[in-house]
Amino acid sequence: MNSIVCLKQVPDTEAQILATPDGSDVKLDGVKFIISPYDEYGIEEALLQKEKAGGGEVTLVSMGPARAVEAIRTGLAMGADKAVHLDDEAFNGSDAQAAAKALAAQIKGMQYDIIYCGRQAIDDDQSQVGPALAELLGLPHTSLVTKVEVAADKKSVKVNRQIVGGEEILEIPLPCVLTCQKGLNEPRYASLPGIMKAKKKPLQPVKAAEIGIDAGTVGAAGSGTRVVKFTAPPTRTSAKIISGESPEEKAANLAKALREEAKAI
Amino acid sequence: MGKGIFVVTVPDQGTIRKVAFEILSEARKIATAKSEPLCAVIIGKGVAALAGKFAPYGADKVYVVENDLLENYTADGYAKALADLITREQPSIVLAGATVVGKDLMPKVAARINAGMAADCTAIGLDGDAFTVKRYMYSGKMIADVKFQADKVAIATIRPNVLIAAAPDASKSAEVVNVAAEVSAADIRVKVLEVVKGDAGKVDLTEAEVIVSGGRGMKDASGYGILEDLAKVLGATVGASRAAVDAGWRPVSDQVGQTGKVVSANLYIACGISGAIQHYAGMGTSKVIVAINKDGEAPILSKCDYAVIDDLFKVVPPLTEEIRKLKAD
């Protein structure tokens, strides 16, 4: 069972994100970075399926600046076998669709049964790369997967997928793309021996030209959308504290305020 | 390019999600400003009966895209049907709700036709001739103004409950165009084996207008009983913080926050939730936020509109009664 896991390095969920004074970008200096949490479910699932199958390889593919190496090494320390790092200025400014193009160009020539993506990266929050990547590679996909069962003949996979008010159980022929949702598994931590081993695992840097990408089709030039301005969302200035002598009185005053003042009920 | 503003709807068991009307109402203004027709697109099997629902919200034309193979939603089948229509009609922008289906379908369509796409947008507009959208990034910590490049078809999905649906005008009518989608069994590679419906009456959190949410302060799973009662009188959906989900008190599908669902309710009542940055990221765009928390120092108290500082187990039951009385009036 050979798997590819697409991985993105993103700011920690705890990080405060601020815009630059002119609003043209966000300030990321001093911010701690992590593997996007949904991608960790992908790594874990790939490792579990490899263990279950008793063999195969898990390859990480990540597009990002030089600092992304740290996240890739963490993924290798969790147990992935090798990694490819798409690191080229030509990729800068790629929107989600352009990122999917770059990943597809890299993955096209590789050997795999399943490609795992997170359901979304928690910085851009687009949820686009998984389905777009599948389309570009001509593969079927399923998003928001919470359970994966590979058929005995290894020709298809049965997955559970979250839908509105319930779930679907689907059968997909391999190879395919799955996007991972919370609930799929509990990602393991990188062990100390894992971290030592990860330092020696192959991590191949790749430039756009090496995978036959014309620079005009990725990066800012190849993107159909462009962020022109970042602003901080409006903040609530101060809460109205509901007064009352007892919990019951506070409850009554709250109900009244919601009805008469906020007109929310 | 520029032969229309498309608003795509995938009906769910014979009903149209409200977000479709929210998008149509806003898109009507853009269609008028650009002098382009506003076209509703409805996809499925046996959906023609719903074609009349769109004109009251401003649609000039309704494409009814049908095929027996489109009975269940599949990304393969629906993407082919929609991409073929877009390729033939060349709209300038294609809009859809950022629902579970919209988020799955539209990125695939965008890749297929080499469109530019922005997901989960909270506003749409124009900058000269170019389409613009606003969307949250970093899970609500930043708002991005996004501009579409002119050389590609634009696709945007729109967050439910954010745009405002206009009052429907029943006197309006629209031209209906029936389209037989060219989808064959071989196109659909993913097979739906089973659909397991949970609580059928439950509105999904991402589309709920009122949410009652509980966190660590609920103490255990049984604590949610009082929230279910409050939710019932409010017609609300119950949500949970990550702490409550990780403790196993509520299912993962109930989680609101950066690693759960991003919601935008008219009224969000947070009970026993401290209001960590990750939780706020998932509900901060709600219109009215109420916090009920006995800890006067909880961060949520500085980020809400109304705060009750008291024991939630003593406040919520009488609140339920008060609201029941108000609603009965």
Side-chain angles (χ1 to χ4, degrees):
Chain A
M1 183 58 46
N2 293 318
S3 304
I4 291 172
V5 185
C6 298
L7 172 160
K8 188 175 184 187
Q9 189 198 40
V10 298
D12 191 357
T13 57
E14 296 269 0
Q16 286 280 1
I17 307 292
L18 301 169
T20 56
D22 65 356
S24 65
D25 208 343
V26 289
K27 286 193 270 196
L28 294 175
D29 20 304
V31 165
K32 188 186 160 210
F33 288 93
I34 57 170
I35 299 174
S36 186
Y38 296 108
D39 299 345
E40 285 190 341
Y41 298 121
I43 299 172
E44 179 64 31
E45 196 60 31
L47 295 173
L48 288 174
Q49 294 298 342
K50 175 187 160 180
E51 287 159 14
K52 213 176 268 181
E57 247 186 350
V58 176
T59 307
L60 308 175
V61 176
S62 184
M63 187 180 98
R67 61 170 157 77
V69 166
E70 199 186 324
I72 297 169
R73 287 280 178 212
T74 304
L76 292 170
M78 284 172 73
D81 299 292
K82 57 187 174 65
V84 177
H85 180 197
L86 304 182
D87 178 13
D88 192 329
E89 278 185 10
F91 298 128
N92 291 355
S94 291
D95 69 2
Q97 290 286 331
K101 278 180 201 157
L103 292 169
Q106 165 60 39
I107 292 170
K108 206 167 55 187
M110 294 171 70
Q111 289 294 319
Y112 55 85
D113 300 294
I114 301 178
I115 301 170
Y116 296 94
C117 297
R119 79 158 211 220
Q120 71 194 72
I122 61 153
D123 53 357
D124 292 343
D125 289 324
Q126 292 274 11
S127 306
Q128 289 194 47
V129 167
L133 176 63
E135 176 63 30
L136 295 170
L137 292 170
L139 301 177
H141 84 272
T142 293
S143 56
L144 302 175
V145 166
T146 54
K147 190 178 171 191
V148 176
E149 231 177 290
V150 179
D153 65 3
K154 297 192 168 55
K155 286 189 173 147
S156 69
V157 64
K158 198 163 111 180
V159 302
N160 289 39
R161 153 169 213 263
Q162 247 182 31
I163 56 170
V164 173
E167 60 176 7
E168 269 177 346
I169 301 169
L170 308 163
E171 188 181 81
I172 317 158
L174 297 180
C176 70
V177 175
L178 303 177
T179 84
C180 305
Q181 166 70 323
K182 184 173 176 169
L184 177 60
N185 53 43
E186 282 296 328
R188 65 194 71 184
Y189 289 100
S191 66
L192 195 60
I195 293 167
M196 298 312 290
K197 265 195 242 166
K199 291 178 181 162
K200 294 191 192 112
K201 288 179 177 173
L203 194 171
Q204 182 198 353
V206 168
K207 298 277 176 207
E210 294 171 58
I211 45 175
I213 289 186
D214 171 2
T217 62
V218 293
S223 294
T225 67
R226 192 159 53 87
V227 177
V228 290
K229 196 175 161 206
F230 289 96
T231 41
T235 49
R236 289 175 157 79
T237 45
S238 65
K240 183 169 178 181
I241 310 284
I242 302 290
S243 58
E245 294 293 321
S246 64
E248 291 77 16
E249 197 181 323
K250 288 177 189 171
N253 289 340
L254 173 62
K256 199 168 161 218
L258 291 178
R259 177 76 155 199
E260 291 171 9
E261 199 176 279
K263 304 203 187 305
I265 55 174
Chain B
M1 262 182 269
K3 289 201 241 154
I5 313 288
F6 275 20
V7 178
V8 178
T9 301
V10 173
D12 185 10
Q13 300 181 354
T15 57
I16 297 166
R17 309 202 84 84
K18 200 178 57 147
V19 66
F21 304 129
E22 295 167 0
I23 301 170
L24 272 173
S25 303
E26 192 70 19
R28 178 66 260 171
K29 300 174 204 166
I30 291 172
T32 303
K34 288 201 70 134
S35 303
E36 289 188 38
L38 177 61
C39 309
V41 179
I42 184 167
I43 310 176
K45 178 193 171 188
V47 293
L50 299 168
K53 301 272 187 193
F54 303 102
Y57 294 92
D60 300 305
K61 200 184 228 185
V62 180
Y63 291 99
V64 179
V65 182
E66 290 189 298
N67 187 306
D68 285 352
L69 293 168
L70 301 176
E71 182 169 10
N72 279 319
Y73 168 74
T74 57
D76 283 338
Y78 278 61
K80 170 137 199 335
L82 180 55
D84 285 353
L85 181 73
I86 295 171
T87 303
R88 196 168 63 232
E89 301 296 335
Q90 293 291 311
S92 48
I93 189 166
V94 182
L95 304 166
T99 58
V100 171
V101 166
K103 284 181 177 175
D104 187 62
L105 172 64
M106 301 312 280
K108 181 175 171 70
V109 171
R112 197 173 179 112
I113 63 169
N114 192 25
M117 174 168 169
D120 205 15
C121 305
T122 55
I124 41 177
L126 291 170
D127 177 5
D129 230 20
F131 292 104
T132 60
V133 291
K134 281 186 191 290
R135 60 185 303 278
Y136 283 83
M137 286 176 63
Y138 301 96
S139 311
K141 295 174 194 168
M142 196 57 65
I143 298 173
D145 285 299
V146 177
K147 193 169 175 178
F148 284 93
Q149 308 303 296
D151 58 344
K152 291 181 176 178
V153 175
I155 292 182
T157 58
I158 310 292
R159 184 178 292 187
N161 276 349
V162 176
L163 303 180
I164 296 162
D169 180 350
S171 69
K172 294 271 183 62
S173 64
E175 177 195 353
V176 174
V177 181
N178 291 300
V179 180
E182 285 177 31
V183 179
S184 69
D187 291 326
I188 301 172
R189 297 164 290 183
V190 177
K191 210 158 58 181
V192 180
L193 301 178
E194 199 181 331
V195 179
V196 186
K197 281 275 172 188
D199 184 353
K202 186 173 170 176
V203 178
D204 193 70
L205 281 168
T206 56
E207 295 176 50
E209 289 186 30
V210 183
I211 294 170
V212 178
S213 207
R216 207 187 294 272
M218 301 313 297
K219 297 205 173 105
D220 61 38
S222 65
Y224 282 81
I226 58 170
L227 300 192
E228 299 279 1
D229 291 343
L230 176 58
K232 209 170 286 169
V233 299
L234 284 167
T237 301
V238 174
S241 72
R242 177 176 175 170
V245 169
D246 286 351
W249 302 342
R250 301 295 291 185
V252 168
S253 54
D254 280 5
Q255 186 184 322
V256 173
Q258 187 164 18
T259 53
K261 287 178 174 165
V262 175
V263 304
S264 190
N266 286 334
L267 174 61
Y268 188 94
I269 304 181
C271 305
I273 292 176
S274 65
I277 186 167
Q278 297 94 331
H279 187 76
Y280 191 76
M283 44 63 97
T285 59
S286 295
K287 288 182 192 84
V288 178
I289 298 175
V290 176
I292 304 175
N293 206 306
K294 66 178 175 192
D295 175 9
E297 303 293 312
I300 195 156
L301 298 178
S302 60
K303 297 173 191 164
C304 66
D305 301 294
Y306 295 97
V308 176
I309 303 169
D310 210 322
D311 181 354
L312 73 96
F313 291 98
K314 291 186 178 144
V315 174
V316 172
L319 178 63
T320 304
E321 278 319 302
E322 290 295 334
I323 291 171
R324 196 194 306 278
K325 274 190 252 163
L326 285 176
K327 290 239 172 187
D329 283 350

